[in-house]
C-alpha cells in the first residue's frame, strides 16, 4: 500500500514557481496569476495518484506559461515602443539568479519551447527527463532545444560582471550627470556604442525607438536636461534591477521610473528605462525597502 501523499508546502514552493513563471513571461502580475492558477489546479487533482507534487506543480506552471506566451507574443506585436520586462529589484529575493535583464531580452527571441527547456534545465537544474515531462517532449528533443537556446543567449551573458558597490557608484554618477545636465561627465560613463531603450507602453511619454551611439544618447539627454531642471527627479533609491545596477525615481507628473544600466569594462553599454505604469505597480508596494543613496 502506498503512503498517503502530503500536500506540498505552497509557501516553500511559491518563490521558485513564481521565479520560473516570471522568467518565462517577463511579468510579475502574470507570474503570480499563473502560480495561483497552478495551485488551484493542483488542489483539484487526485492526491492518491500523485507521487511528486513539486514536479507536478512545475509541469502545470510551465504549461500555463507556454499557453500564456502565445497570447503574450500577439500582444507584443502591437506594443508601442520597445518592450522591456517588468523590473525586479534586489529586495525580491524570490527572483535572485544570474539571469540579467539583457538575458531576459535574449530569452524573448527564443521559441516558447526553447525558452522553457533552457530555463528548466540550465537555470532550475532539472534533468532532461523532467524537462521532457514538463513540456511534453522527449528528453533528447529537450536537450536540443536547450542547446539551441544556449547558443542564442550566450552573447547576452555579462563578460565582466560588476560588484554591487561598483554598480551603485556608477548608477549614482549616471544619475547625477544626467539630472544636472553634465554632458561631459555623462560622456565619460558611456561606451561609444551605447544604446538607450525606453518602455512607456504607449501609456506615458517615452522615446519610441532605441537611441544608438554615444552622440545620439548625449543629444537625447541634453534635450532632457531642461525637463529635469524644470521638474527635478525624486530619487527613491539605488537598486539592482534584474541583476543590473540602477535606480528608481519619481518623474514629472508623478511618473514612477526604473532605470537599469548594463556595464561592460566600466562603461555603460545599454540604458533600460521602464516607465510603463502597468509594469511598475509592484515597485510602489516595495519602495520602503529600497536602499537609500
Amino acid at each position: 500500500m502506498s503512503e498517503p501523499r502530503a500536500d506540498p508546502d505552497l509557501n516553500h514552493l511559491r518563490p521558485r514557481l513564481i521565479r520560473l513563471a516570471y522568467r518565462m513571461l517577463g511579468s510579475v502580475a502574470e507570474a503570480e496569476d499563473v502560480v495561483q492558477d497552478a495551485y488551484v489546479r493542483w488542489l483539484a487533482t487526485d492526491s492518491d495518484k500523485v507521487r511528486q507534487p513539486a514536479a507536478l506543480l512545475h509541469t502545470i506552471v510551465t504549461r500555463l506559461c507556454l499557453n500564456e506566451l502565445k497570447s503574450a507574443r500577439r500582444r507584443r506585436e502591437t506594443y508601442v515602443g520597445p518592450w522591456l520586462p517588468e523590473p525586479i529589484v534586489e529586495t525580491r529575493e524570490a527572483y535572485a539568479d544570474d539571469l540579467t535583464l539583457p538575458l531576459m531580452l535574449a530569452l524573448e527571441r527564443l521559441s516558447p519551447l526553447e525558452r522553457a527547456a533552457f530555463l528548466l534545465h540550465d537555470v532550475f537544474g532539472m534533468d532532461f527527463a523532467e524537462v521532457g515531462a514538463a513540456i511534453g517532449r522527449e528528453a533528447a528533443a529537450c536537450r536540443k532545444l536547450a542547446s539551441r537556446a544556449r547558443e542564442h543567449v550566450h552573447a547576452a551573458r555579462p563578460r565582466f560582471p560588476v560588484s554591487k558597490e561598483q554598480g551603485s557608484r556608477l548608477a549614482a554618477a549616471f544619475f547625477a550627470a544626467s539630472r544636472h545636465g553634465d554632458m561631459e561627465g555623462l560622456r565619460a560613463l558611456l561606451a561609444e556604442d551605447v544604446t538607450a531603450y525606453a518602455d512607456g507602453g504607449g501609456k506615458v511619454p517615452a522615446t519610441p525607438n532605441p537611441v544608438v551611439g554615444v552622440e545620439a544618447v548625449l543629444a537625447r539627454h541634453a534635450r532632457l536636461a531642461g525637463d529635469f531642471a524644470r521638474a527635478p527627479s525624486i530619487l527613491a533609491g539605488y537598486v539592482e534591477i534584474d541583476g543590473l545596477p540602477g535606480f528608481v525615481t519619481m518623474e514629472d507628473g508623478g511618473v514612477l521610473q526604473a532605470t537599469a544600466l548594463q556595464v561592460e569594462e566600466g562603461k555603460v553599454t545599454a540604458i533600460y528605462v521602464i516607465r510603463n505604469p502597468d509594469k511598475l505597480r509592484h515597485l510602489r508596494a516595495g519602495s520602503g525597502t529600497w536602499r537609500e543613496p
Side-chain angles (χ1 to χ4, degrees), residues 3 11 15 19 23 41 49 64 67 71 75 96 116 127 133 148 154 165 179 184 191 218 220 226-227 253 286-287:
E3 296 181 0
N11 291 329
R19 180 177 158 220
R23 294 310 188 193
R41 295 184 184 214
K49 295 182 178 179
L64 287 172
N67 290 337
S71 58
R75 291 195 301 272
D127 63 42
R148 287 202 300 267
H154 177 74
E165 292 72 19
R179 268 49 181 184
E184 287 308 308
L218 287 171
R220 174 61 178 154
D227 295 336
S287 60

Side-chain angles (χ1 to χ4, degrees), residues 84 96 110-111 119 122 150 167 180 191 195 210 272 291:
L84 297 175
L110 304 177
S111 73
L119 287 171
D122 286 40
R150 208 172 293 121
H180 298 150
T195 302
Y272 303 98
R291 191 168 66 249

Side-chain angles (χ1 to χ4, degrees), residues 22-23 25-32 75-76 79 83-89 92 95 101 104-105 108 199 241-242 258 274-283:
Y22 170 73
R23 294 310 188 193
L25 302 173
S27 166
V28 176
E30 290 176 4
E32 292 176 344
R75 291 195 301 272
R76 286 169 199 172
Y79 195 82
W83 180 92
L84 297 175
E86 291 184 19
I88 297 299
V89 301
R92 293 177 71 98
Y95 299 85
L101 195 154
M104 289 286 290
L105 293 175
E108 281 293 306
D199 180 349
I241 298 173
D242 276 307
I274 302 98
R275 292 172 56 82
N276 184 340
D278 293 342
K279 297 185 176 184
L280 298 167
R281 291 171 182 164
H282 62 287
L283 291 190

Side-chain angles (χ1 to χ4, degrees), residues 22-269:
Y22 170 73
R23 294 310 188 193
M24 287 285 290
L25 302 173
S27 166
V28 176
E30 290 176 4
E32 292 176 344
D33 287 345
V34 160
V35 171
Q36 185 62 32
D37 190 4
Y39 204 64
V40 169
R41 295 184 184 214
W42 153 256
L43 292 175
T45 62
D46 184 346
S47 61
D48 293 331
K49 295 182 178 179
V50 180
R51 298 293 298 174
Q52 296 181 306
L56 177 59
L57 278 165
H58 279 84
T59 295
I60 295 172
V61 166
T62 300
R63 293 185 178 181
L64 287 172
C65 286
L66 289 173
N67 290 337
E68 180 61 29
L69 280 174
K70 296 176 183 177
S71 58
R73 288 187 171 228
R74 287 195 296 270
R75 291 195 301 272
R76 286 169 199 172
E77 288 175 358
T78 59
Y79 195 82
V80 178
W83 180 92
L84 297 175
E86 291 184 19
I88 297 299
V89 301
E90 62 181 330
T91 54
R92 293 177 71 98
E93 295 178 359
Y95 299 85
D97 53 36
D98 64 349
L99 278 184
T100 61
L101 195 154
L103 274 168
M104 289 286 290
L105 293 175
L107 291 177
E108 281 293 306
R109 296 190 287 271
L110 304 177
S111 73
L113 288 177
E114 287 173 338
R115 187 169 187 164
F118 174 80
L119 287 171
L120 291 172
H121 180 266
D122 286 40
V123 178
F124 291 88
M126 295 171 63
D127 63 42
F128 283 117
E130 294 173 313
V131 175
I135 68 175
R137 295 291 188 277
E138 295 293 330
C142 293
R143 190 183 301 275
K144 291 180 180 178
L145 287 167
S147 178
R148 287 202 300 267
R150 208 172 293 121
E151 291 176 3
H152 285 289
V153 303
H154 177 74
R157 288 194 179 278
R159 293 175 297 166
F160 307 100
V162 297
S163 68
K164 279 191 175 184
E165 292 72 19
Q166 291 173 315
S168 292
R169 287 196 297 270
L170 194 147
F174 182 94
F175 176 83
S178 63
R179 268 49 181 184
H180 298 150
D182 179 6
M183 294 301 106
E184 287 308 308
L186 190 59
R187 180 188 293 274
L189 300 173
L190 302 179
E192 287 296 319
D193 59 351
V194 62
T195 302
Y197 307 85
D199 180 349
K203 306 291 181 68
V204 296
T207 306
N209 298 303
V211 180
V212 182
V214 65
E215 297 302 334
V217 171
L218 287 171
R220 174 61 178 154
H221 276 280
R223 292 192 294 271
L224 289 172
D227 295 336
F228 293 136
R230 176 179 55 80
S233 302
I234 300 173
L235 180 65
Y238 293 109
V239 295
E240 282 196 351
I241 298 173
D242 276 307
L244 301 184
F247 47 86
V248 177
T249 54
M250 188 69 72
E251 303 294 343
D252 188 21
V255 175
L256 191 64
Q257 176 173 304
T259 302
L261 307 174
Q262 184 177 349
V263 181
E264 293 285 346
E265 298 184 287
K267 296 285 187 177
V268 176
T269 59

